[in-house]
């Protein structure tokens, strides 16, 4: 059974035994699914026990009690109220006060089944966030100069997400690339070309160079024990005479979120999405709105994990017309678009989407997804969180919404 801590508040007029009697329907349902530890206010000292932690509002009259103990509660406070003993009224007052003081949370209230679904969602989100603790996230080279709104506050990320941001000199990749021989990558070059449905611009020699860079980047990731990384790939082109698209594609395929251009916010979004869904992600530019009213637009980039596609073509890199890129082709399916951003990753956007087709516009990056979003496209034109966004196969909106709300919570 998954562990669940219920910090339990009730009026001094109610006995501890009456809490379990009055709320037995809900508590019996919780107890049948979770290994529950009830924690009372006088026990709130030090670190909370292992497991997801939520607040059980057992009655009215507990508002000041919660306020006095707020620093002992999780950054994102889930208030569970079945409505009995004025618990809902008290929860709404507490939530309103939390909003005034800049704290995040929500009330779980409704039929028992609805409350249980909410508890399940937040328990899974807690488990997802726990996976991020202690992760080392690399920034290899400085972010590209045009990413003027995509950096993060390293210390804020350590406090909120529990991840460590690690700066790695780009020279380490260049030196590693120079040390990888053509012979070392012959087999992986053959495999990459053979599995493609076509090769357009690049020669075999170009693919060999891209694979040498892949080996060099992978060695840096392993040496620094990175769980994810973003690479200033454009600065590598003059020194290595190839592009990083294939390296990022293959490392994403191996389960290491790998982002382009040194974009820190998008990389962290990729890391969170992978932790929550177990799926590979595609980092892409919002490239063209096709129909504002129908919420249709194209997202494009030159790298995508081959395993995320139904088939792929080996291409050159769109902007530089050099190196090797991946044109991924995916059959129509449901997808999710997501982005976290802000210096402290306090903002987020998420939408269900339907992939209608993969286009082949000559004036866009190689992998092009024509999507119809559930959410209006005004977001992109009025309040977009930077440029790049993250796309994942399948509908993960409910799960990701819960995770992202909790990750954006201020301590």
């Amino acid at each position: 059974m998954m562990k669940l801590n219920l910090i339990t508040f009730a009026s001094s007029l109610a006995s501890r035994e009456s809490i379990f009697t009055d709320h037995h329907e809900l508590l019996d349902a919780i107890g049948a699914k979770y290994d529950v530890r009830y924690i009372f206010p006088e026990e709130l000292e030090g670190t909370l026990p292992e497991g997801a932690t939520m607040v059980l509002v057992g009655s009215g009259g507990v508002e000041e009690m919660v306020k006095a103990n707020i620093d002992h509660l999780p950054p994102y406070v889930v208030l569970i109220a079945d409505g009995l003993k004025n618990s809902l009224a008290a929860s709404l007052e507490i939530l309103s006060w939390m909003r005034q003081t800049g704290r995040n949370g929500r009330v779980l209230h409704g039929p028992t089944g609805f409350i249980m679904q909410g508890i399940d969602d937040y328990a899974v989100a807690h488990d997802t966030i726990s996976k991020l603790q202690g992760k080392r996230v690399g920034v290899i080279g400085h972010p590209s100069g045009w990413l003027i709104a995509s950096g993060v506050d390293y210390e804020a990320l350590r406090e909120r997400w529990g991840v460590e941001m690690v700066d790695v000199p780009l020279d380490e990749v260049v030196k590693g690339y120079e040390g990888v021989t053509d012979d070392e990558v012959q087999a992986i070059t053959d495999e990459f070309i053979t599995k493609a449905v076509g090769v357009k611009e690049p020669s075999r020699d170009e693919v060999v160079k891209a694979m040498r860079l892949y080996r060099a980047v992978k060695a840096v990731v392993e040496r620094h024990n990175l769980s994810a990384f973003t690479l200033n790939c454009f600065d590598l082109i003059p020194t290595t005479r190839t592009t990083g698209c294939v390296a990022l594609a293959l490392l994403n395929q191996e389960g290491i979120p790998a982002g382009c251009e040194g974009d820190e916010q998008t990389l962290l979004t990729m890391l969170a999405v992978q932790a929550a869904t177990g799926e590979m992600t595609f980092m892409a530019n919002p490239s063209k709105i096709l129909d504002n009213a129908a919420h249709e637009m194209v997202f494009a980039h030159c790298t995508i994990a081959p395993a995320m596609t139904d088939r792929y073509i080996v291409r050159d890199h769109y902007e530089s017309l050099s190196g090797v890129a991946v044109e991924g082709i995916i059959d129509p399916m449901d997808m999710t678009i997501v982005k976290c951003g802000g210096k402290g990753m306090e903002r987020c956007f998420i939408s269900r989407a339907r992939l209608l087709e993969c286009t082949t516009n000559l004036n866009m990056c190689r992998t092009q997804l024509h999507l119809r979003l559930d959410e209006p496209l005004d977001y992109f034109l009025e309040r977009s969180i930077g440029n790049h966004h993250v796309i994942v196969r399948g509908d993960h909106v409910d799960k990701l919404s819960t995770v992202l709300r909790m990750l954006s919570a201020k301590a």
Side-chain angles (χ1 to χ4, degrees):
M1 279 188 172
M2 188 178 290
K3 296 181 183 297
L4 175 64
N5 302 314
L6 286 182
I7 302 176
T8 305
F9 292 92
S11 167
S12 58
L13 299 177
S15 67
R16 187 163 296 181
E17 291 74 17
S18 69
I19 296 172
F20 298 97
T21 301
D22 296 337
H23 305 283
H24 71 88
E25 180 183 346
L26 175 60
L27 298 185
D28 287 350
I30 296 173
K33 191 166 187 178
Y34 291 92
D35 178 7
V36 182
R37 173 170 177 172
Y38 292 92
I39 302 172
F40 295 91
E42 62 270 18
E43 301 170 318
L44 285 174
E45 292 184 4
T47 304
L48 290 168
E50 178 187 351
T53 300
M54 304 176 198
V55 172
L56 175 66
V57 180
S59 71
V62 301
E63 294 85 346
E64 288 185 319
M65 197 183 309
V66 174
K67 180 179 178 180
N69 286 280
I70 194 67
D71 290 336
H72 298 296
L73 304 185
Y76 191 95
V77 181
V78 179
L79 301 161
I80 301 172
D82 61 6
L84 303 177
K85 298 292 183 178
N86 285 325
S87 58
L88 177 59
S91 298
L92 299 180
E93 184 72 14
I94 294 165
L95 182 64
S96 179
W97 172 78
M98 290 197 313
R99 297 286 189 212
Q100 292 173 6
T101 58
R103 290 190 174 262
N104 293 325
R106 69 153 294 167
V107 175
L108 276 182
H109 171 73
T112 298
F114 179 84
I115 294 176
M116 287 302 300
Q117 182 60 59
I119 292 173
D120 292 346
D121 289 345
Y122 281 96
V124 170
H126 175 274
D127 182 62
T128 296
I129 294 170
S130 296
K131 294 176 184 176
L132 299 177
Q133 302 302 302
K135 297 289 189 186
R136 289 170 56 83
V137 178
V139 180
I140 304 177
H142 297 294
S144 296
W146 52 85
L147 295 178
I148 60 175
S150 298
V152 298
D153 181 326
Y154 284 15
E155 188 55 38
L157 262 294
R158 184 193 296 272
E159 292 178 2
R160 289 190 186 180
W161 287 40
V163 303
E164 180 183 359
M165 302 295 293
V166 181
D167 290 319
V168 179
L170 198 62
D171 285 349
E172 288 195 28
V173 174
V174 176
K175 290 178 181 177
Y177 171 78
E178 293 170 348
V180 179
T181 67
D182 291 358
D183 289 343
E184 291 179 68
V185 297
Q186 294 299 332
I188 193 170
T189 298
D190 290 339
E191 180 182 8
F192 182 70
I193 292 174
T194 300
K195 288 185 175 179
V197 296
V199 179
K200 288 195 174 179
E201 301 86 1
S203 66
R204 178 184 172 80
D205 288 344
E206 288 296 332
V207 180
V208 167
K209 288 195 292 185
M211 289 301 175
R212 286 172 56 201
L213 185 58
Y214 154 70
R215 283 286 178 85
V217 173
K218 185 172 182 177
V220 170
V221 168
E222 291 174 348
R223 183 160 60 249
H224 289 274
N225 191 27
L226 302 178
S227 299
F229 71 95
T230 182
L231 175 70
N232 187 334
C233 36
F234 277 87
D235 281 3
L236 283 172
I237 296 174
T239 53
T240 64
R241 300 170 304 284
T242 189
T243 55
C245 307
V246 171
L248 300 179
L250 295 182
L251 286 162
N252 269 310
Q253 184 165 283
E254 292 170 17
I256 301 171
C260 314
E261 303 170 35
D263 187 334
E264 298 164 357
Q265 294 178 12
T266 305
L267 172 66
L268 288 160
T269 305
M270 295 169 75
L271 178 63
V273 172
Q274 186 207 58
T277 67
E279 299 284 343
M280 293 170 282
T281 57
F282 173 47
M283 169 183 172
N285 297 321
S287 296
K288 184 176 178 61
I289 291 177
L290 302 176
D291 188 328
N292 295 67
H295 308 169
E296 293 182 19
M297 65 187 299
V298 175
F299 292 79
H301 234 211
C302 280
T303 179
I304 186 170
M308 192 176 168
T309 72
D310 290 301
R311 51 204 174 276
Y312 67 92
I313 302 170
V314 180
R315 301 293 307 274
D316 63 1
H317 177 242
Y318 164 65
E319 284 92 347
S320 65
L321 298 178
S322 67
V324 184
V326 182
E327 179 182 341
I329 304 165
I330 306 174
D331 296 332
M333 66 176 304
D334 292 333
M335 291 186 150
T336 305
I337 301 174
V338 60
K339 178 65 179 289
C340 278
K343 283 291 187 181
M345 298 294 282
E346 68 278 1
R347 297 183 60 203
C348 65
F349 167 82
I350 188 166
S351 177
R352 292 180 177 86
R354 179 70 183 175
L355 172 62
L356 303 178
E357 61 177 342
C358 288
T359 58
T360 55
N361 190 315
L362 296 177
N363 294 309
M364 293 182 189
C365 294
R366 300 310 187 193
T367 296
Q368 304 171 15
L369 306 186
H370 173 187
L371 297 168
R372 179 187 294 127
L373 282 67
D374 278 8
E375 296 296 320
L377 303 187
D378 289 352
Y379 153 77
F380 291 97
L381 305 179
E382 297 177 4
R383 54 191 182 279
S384 182
I385 306 171
N387 166 22
H388 301 116
H389 283 62
V390 174
I391 300 171
V392 59
R393 294 168 63 110
D395 179 356
H396 304 283
V397 168
D398 292 340
K399 181 185 296 183
L400 287 172
S401 294
T402 303
V403 171
L404 298 181
R405 279 198 299 270
M406 293 180 70
L407 280 172
S408 68
K410 294 181 180 179

